[in-house]
Amino acid sequence: MKKRAFFLVVVLTGLFSLPVFSQTDNEPVALGLPGDNLNLYAVLDIFQKSKTLEDFEKALNDPDNKVNNLDLNNDGEIDYIEIESHKEGNTHVIVLQVAVNNNETQDVAVIEVDKDKKNNVHVQAIGDEDLYGKNYIVEPSGSASGTPNPGYTGGSTVIVNNNTTNNYTTTTTSPGYVSASVSAWPVILFLFSPVYVAYRSPWHWGYYPPYWRPWRPVYYHDYWGYHGHYYRSPYYRRTAVIRNPRYYNNYAARRNTSVVVRDNRTNGRYNTTYNGRDYKRPAPVTRPSRPGNTTRPGNTTRPTTRPANPSTRPGNTTRPTNPSTRPGNTTRPTNPSTRPGNNTRPTTRPVTPTNPSTRPAVRPAQPVTRPATRPVTPTAPSTRPAVRPTAPSTRPATQPTTRPATPRPASGSSNRR
């Protein structure tokens, strides 16, 4: 009888404690940022099930999927999420953005799809820093090539439209095949097909598809009820490491941001979605430490802690701590007056004539009187003639007025008779 009563108590205790544990697991978790209203786990799950980027955009904005709960311009209606893709080699960057008004666009998140040299495909959904904070990244869990997700079954047909030839190419996975890797997702087959053309949404602010009917956003507590199970899913996980930072940095250089979104976040206008409730923050995700830092090859004997006493360093155990007892200098005296070869050196300098011990306190004064006049020397006569001597007095003062007559030859006419 006692055993039955004890068994009954154990069973009742387990039944009553089960709801307590389930409530703890289902407790809402919030970043406290606008990105809480677009669950990246759900976004990545819709991306996995989409056939093309156009289908992906339509599924994001479908009210039946209850994924989009963004109201960035704070007008009381859900915003339309546009898709814009870029391609560079084997890397695809798929940007999710919202037109806040006619002039501003805000990027919400980026999905990076990269194929490495071994044909392994990596997919990451990276939230924008203004909406999710820094390094909010969601990716498929498991190995680099992906993890089977029993929630998705292959066998669907992917139709790729070639705009240059107006032909259609179909790719079909095996019927009933459960997707075993990221490379088997229909949208991945579409992105890496030879006829793929980068997609850009034809819709923009004030011009939306005919099926689009915006609705009022719901409170975050209700939104969590739609997507809380993704946080416990073994097929997606959070990480803090960007697998391809070079391409992400290229995107970040042309990233779209909105002043309206920044002002609304600063002024707390997005806090109304929490309805005044407080939620716990997600568990922080840290970067994994690089293996091999503590046991680097070829350096296993490197001490982890530096010895405090230099005298006990490896390879220097015999180094003396006292300089006076160093090898090769054991007889070095500590007093300079008793150094070898200098025992008779006097401590004080002797007084010599060249080094008088006393100096005159006062320098002798200069001669008081100086000769007023320079001595007269023969080379320097003291007196010079006041006037220059005149010209010689014998020089004729005037030139002669008459010149001596010169004999002139007689003319021939004088001899004539």
Side-chain angles (χ1 to χ4, degrees), residues 54-111:
E54 186 176 1
D55 292 342
F56 176 54
E57 178 179 342
K58 185 176 181 179
L60 283 177
N61 296 287
D62 190 350
D64 294 336
N65 291 330
K66 296 181 174 58
V67 176
N68 184 8
N69 197 44
L70 288 175
D71 182 15
L72 296 181
N73 56 3
N74 200 33
D75 62 350
E77 294 183 347
I78 292 297
D79 301 326
Y80 185 85
I81 300 177
E82 306 169 12
I83 301 297
E84 180 178 328
S85 65
H86 305 273
K87 178 184 178 182
E88 184 176 347
N90 285 332
T91 301
H92 296 264
V93 177
I94 303 162
V95 183
L96 285 66
Q97 54 189 207
V98 169
V100 180
N101 52 41
N102 194 27
N103 300 319
E104 294 183 3
T105 300
Q106 173 67 50
D107 288 356
V108 178
V110 173
I111 297 179

Side-chain angles (χ1 to χ4, degrees), residues 234-248:
Y235 309 110
Y236 303 104
R237 66 180 180 186
R238 275 195 59 192
T239 180
V241 179
I242 298 177
R243 292 186 177 272
N244 202 331
R246 184 168 70 90
Y247 290 102
Y248 180 77

Side-chain angles (χ1 to χ4, degrees), residues 18 41 52 83-84 125 153 157 167-168 172 179 188 231 254 271 290 301 348 360 380-381 388 395 408:
L18 184 61
Y41 292 87
T52 62
I83 301 297
E84 180 178 328
T153 304
T157 302
N167 294 327
Y168 292 88
T172 307
S179 178
I188 301 300
Y231 293 90
R254 59 178 185 270
N271 295 337
R290 294 182 179 180
T301 60
T348 60
R388 185 178 292 178
R395 185 177 184 182
R408 184 176 292 180

Side-chain angles (χ1 to χ4, degrees), residues 308-327:
N309 191 355
S311 61
T312 58
R313 289 180 180 177
N316 195 19
T317 55
T318 60
R319 186 177 182 181
T321 58
N322 191 352
S324 61
T325 59
R326 289 181 181 177

